[in-house]
């Protein structure tokens, strides 16, 4: 056999996968075109990603591997006899999760596609085959055609980690169809040029001329020894369609940019410039405004000056790494910087890293390699969340300020009311002292009682929001709860008698002393009791109980519960009754300002306690105040 320049094409698809032409016809085309050696390399996809399974359904992956190899063997005999054409069995092993396509040239059997690239290369080598990286870089033709989907789906894992794979792979496709990846020769990697044949017109494209004997082993050796030259094969009369560059109208570009700013500003910080550009290109297409940084310091400068909405952050960067940057952002004084969304990217896949990343303040975390679609989805989700949070915060702020204003107004009005009320009460009392008939006494007593009640309410209101947090002002001490509750019940005796409501008080025999602010707590209990009386119809019943739940070391809680047989609270109100000024929808016929329970809650919180409520409309309610004891048991 003699050594000669062999016209070869080692990347050809047939109807065994997504080629449009059956294998016999493909061999005839190459034979008649005068080729010396070809490899049939139909796709075999992994079965672990949903998209790959779709590709199986669409018939784009070999289904019956045995008949695939049998058929290649059969046609190779016939090709040799008829055209002196060497047909080599191969496969393109594709894994969408791991993001690689690898050609196996001269295979005897299938290679498992459900493994990482190193595993695939290892299996190819065990069979004596060559492992070649398919179309390792992004194709210029995608950009010219504006084919965003292909750009997003293009496998880039091998190229991104070319240092790791340069020793392992036997060659890289320097040309695929009409696309050239000149950078491969600049990096001094071994290469071949193939057509990636799917359709008839793909025959006119870049090919390799290999200097070897027409024999499988010799062809493989020549590739390894770089005895190869590139050649653009142009079939006579073929009508090659040159890719049409998509030219954007100026106006569209302009409006794109405007929208870009509106959809969100994203900073991509990663030292791999290929990756940054690819990501920037794709996100710009989605109308985001993109900033880029290639090291940690540059990223920090841009964060400070541009205040992006989202940061896509690689963990491994020279100088300032991603962990540190993340910490600096979350500890920053400025709210705009502290609130930046962070999506962390890393080649490390350890779960601890992920947890650590989220702990130090990343909002989301992706491990490389990942699919571009997934990244874009997560970016969209994060920005959406950020927008929603911003809106919520604005609404909360405006609500808070309107509540504060309302409170201020009310306090002013209420304060102004107090003096005339006191003088009304005092006048009524003075007149009571004189001899009056029964009816007049009743009226005057009513005026006096009402003015007192209102004055007390005024005190509660002024008192409730202003000073509660100033603990120093309110001295805490150990008190006996039972007499305090009894005193409050006595205070309301008259009101309960008027409504013919029986108040039953039960206290456990040994109640520990409770460390608390007596004045506040007694007012809170009084509020709960007077609510129970107010919202319970005539003839009803109120049960008050004090129960200690003591724990070890004199700890534990004490429960003060007030149960009534009143109108109850509607389910839709129950969540809100502790808000200032909120009044239940079934209770509007009673007087009130909706401030009592908010005061109670503030007092309970101040004591580190909790207030619970259970209620059934038209049956009654139970309010339970749970207070920590922190005192000695009184036996
Ligand atoms: P107010 O009594 O002035 O309306 P509160 O803050 O004391 O305001 O109570 C808020 C709301 O909670 C009341 O309007 C009422 O709807 C409901 N509520 C409070 N206590 C009871 C109770 N014991 N029975 C039924 N509803 C109650």
């Amino acid at each position: 056999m003699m050594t000669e320049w062999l016209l070869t094409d080692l990347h050809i698809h047939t109807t065994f996968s997504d080629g449009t032409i059956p294998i016999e016809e493909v061999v005839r085309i190459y034979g008649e075109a005068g080729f010396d050696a070809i490899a049939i390399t139909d796709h075999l996809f992994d079965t672990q990603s949903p998209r790959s399974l779709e590709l199986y359904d669409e018939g784009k992956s070999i289904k019956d591997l045995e008949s695939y190899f049998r058929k290649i063997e059969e046609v190779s005999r016939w090709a040799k006899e008829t055209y002196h054409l060497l047909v080599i069995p191969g496969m393109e092993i594709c894994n969408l999760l791991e993001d690689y396509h690898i050609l196996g040239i001269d295979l005897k059997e299938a290679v498992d596609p459900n493994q990482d690239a190193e595993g695939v290369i290892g299996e190819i080598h065990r069979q004596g085959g060559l492992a070649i990286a398919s179309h390792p870089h992004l194709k210029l033709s995608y950009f010219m055609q504006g084919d965003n989907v292909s750009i997003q789906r293009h496998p880039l894992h091998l190229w991104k980690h070319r240092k790791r794979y340069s020793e392992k792979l036997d060659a890289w496709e320097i040309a695929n169809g009409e696309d050239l990846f000149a950078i491969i020769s600049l990096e001094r990697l071994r290469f071949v040029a193939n057509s990636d044949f799917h359709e008839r017109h793909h025959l006119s494209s870049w090919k390799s001329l290999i200097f070897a004997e027409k024999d499988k082993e010799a062809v493989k050796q020549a590739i390894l020894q770089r005895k190869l030259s590139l050649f653009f094969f142009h079939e006579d009369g073929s009508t090659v369609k040159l890719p049409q560059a998509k030219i954007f109208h100026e106006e569209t570009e302009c409006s794109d940019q405007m929208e870009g700013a509106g959809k969100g500003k994203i900073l991509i910080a990663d030292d791999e410039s290929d990756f940054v550009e690819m990501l920037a290109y794709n996100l710009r297409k989605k109308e985001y405004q993109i900033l880029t940084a290639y090291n940690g310091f540059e990223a920090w400068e841009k964060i400070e000056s541009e205040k992006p909405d989202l940061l896509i952050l690689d963990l491994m960067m020279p100088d300032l790494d991603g962990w540190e940057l993340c910490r600096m952002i979350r500890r920053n004084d400025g709210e705009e910087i502290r609130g930046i969304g962070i999506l962390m990217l890393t080649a490390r896949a350890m779960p601890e890293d992920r947890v650590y990343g989220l702990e130090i303040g990343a909002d989301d975390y992706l491990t490389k390699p990942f699919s571009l679609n997934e990244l874009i989805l997560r970016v969209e989700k994060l920005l959406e969340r950020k927008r929603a949070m911003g809106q919520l915060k604005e609404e909360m702020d405006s609500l808070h300020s309107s509540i504060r204003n309302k409170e201020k107004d009310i306090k002013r009005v209420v304060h102004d009311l107090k003096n005339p009320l006191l003088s009304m009460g005092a006048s009524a009392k003075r007149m009571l002292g004189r001899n009056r008939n029964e009816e007049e006494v009743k009226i005057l007593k009513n005026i006096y009682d009402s003015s007192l009640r209102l004055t007390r309410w005024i005190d509660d209101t002024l008192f409730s929001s202003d000073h509660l947090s100033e603990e120093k002002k309110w001295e805490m001490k150990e008190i006996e709860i039972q007499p305090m509750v009894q005193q409050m019940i006595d205070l309301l005796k008259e009101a309960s008698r008027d409504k013919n409501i029986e108040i039953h008080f039960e206290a456990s025999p040994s109640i520990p002393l409770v460390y608390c602010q007596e004045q506040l707590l007694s007012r809170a209990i009084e509020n709960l009791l007077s609510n129970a009386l107010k919202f319970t119809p005539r003839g009803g019943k109120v049960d008050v109980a004090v129960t200690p739940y003591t724990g070890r070391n004199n700890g534990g809680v004490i429960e003060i519960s007030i149960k009534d047989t009143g109108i109850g609270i509607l389910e839709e109100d129950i969540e809100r009754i502790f808000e200032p000024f909120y009044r239940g929808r079934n209770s509007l016929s009673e007087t009130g300002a909706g401030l009592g329970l908010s005061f109670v809650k503030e007092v309970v919180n101040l004591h580190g306690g909790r207030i619970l409520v259970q209620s059934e409309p038209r049956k009654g309610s139970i309010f339970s105040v749970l207070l920590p004891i922190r005192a000695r048991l009184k036996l």
Side-chain angles (χ1 to χ4, degrees), residues 559 562-564 568-569 574 612-616 620-624:
E559 180 184 20
I562 293 152
K563 179 177 170 210
D564 63 48
I569 302 159
I574 213 148
L612 308 173
V613 54
Q614 286 174 51
S615 186
E616 202 176 324
S621 316
I622 309 176
F623 284 82
S624 294

Side-chain angles (χ1 to χ4, degrees), residues 457 527-528 531-536 564 566-569 573 577-579 581-588 590-598 615 620-621 623:
W457 174 76
N527 277 354
L528 291 174
N531 271 354
L533 292 174
K534 179 163 70 172
F535 295 116
T536 301
D564 63 48
I567 57 170
I569 302 159
D573 287 331
I577 52 170
F578 294 101
E579 292 172 18
F581 303 109
Y582 192 84
R583 307 201 57 224
R585 265 161 269 192
N586 61 343
S587 61
L588 300 177
E590 297 295 334
T591 53
L595 284 166
L597 285 184
S598 71
S615 186
S621 316
F623 284 82

Side-chain angles (χ1 to χ4, degrees), residues 25-40:
E25 180 63 10
V26 168
V27 169
R28 194 186 60 73
I29 291 170
Y30 275 88
E32 286 180 359
F35 274 72
D36 296 294
I38 60 171
I40 303 294

Side-chain angles (χ1 to χ4, degrees), residues 384-449:
E384 223 169 78
R385 200 164 78 190
K386 195 159 179 265
R387 264 195 297 276
M389 296 266 288
Q391 261 173 12
L392 257 177
K393 200 176 164 301
E394 264 174 34
E395 279 170 26
M396 286 244 308
D397 287 349
S398 100
L399 253 174
H400 275 144
S401 91
S402 91
I403 286 179
R404 270 196 303 276
N405 288 341
K406 224 175 178 177
E407 271 182 5
K408 252 191 246 157
D409 286 351
I410 286 186
K411 266 190 231 158
R412 196 174 34 78
V413 171
V414 160
H415 189 264
D416 293 348
L417 278 175
K418 196 173 162 185
N419 282 338
L421 263 175
L422 282 173
S423 68
M424 259 169 70
S427 308
K429 200 169 177 194
R430 244 193 357 261
M431 287 171 83
L432 265 173
R434 299 176 196 155
N435 290 332
R436 301 275 163 193
N437 65 36
E438 205 179 319
E439 199 188 346
E440 280 172 341
V441 168
K442 210 170 149 195
I443 293 170
L444 285 169
K445 210 166 173 297
N446 198 355
I447 295 174
Y448 176 68
D449 286 347

Side-chain angles (χ1 to χ4, degrees), residues 120-182:
V120 166
I121 297 169
E123 267 196 48
I124 294 173
H125 286 163
R126 269 195 294 284
Q127 293 190 36
L130 281 194
I132 300 174
S134 311
H135 39 67
H137 207 276
L138 278 175
K139 296 184 182 185
L140 185 62
S141 56
Y142 293 158
F143 291 90
M144 290 177 73
Q145 289 158 355
D147 182 356
N148 199 25
V149 175
S150 299
I151 292 169
Q152 286 181 15
R153 286 187 178 158
H154 195 83
L156 280 172
H157 171 74
L158 299 173
W159 185 250
K160 275 196 268 174
H161 304 283
R162 55 192 174 281
K163 284 206 183 73
R164 191 188 328 157
Y165 291 109
S166 62
E167 292 294 311
K168 298 192 170 92
L169 283 165
D170 299 301
W172 302 69
E173 270 185 354
I174 195 165
N176 178 284
E178 283 144 3
D179 283 285
L180 274 171
F181 312 111

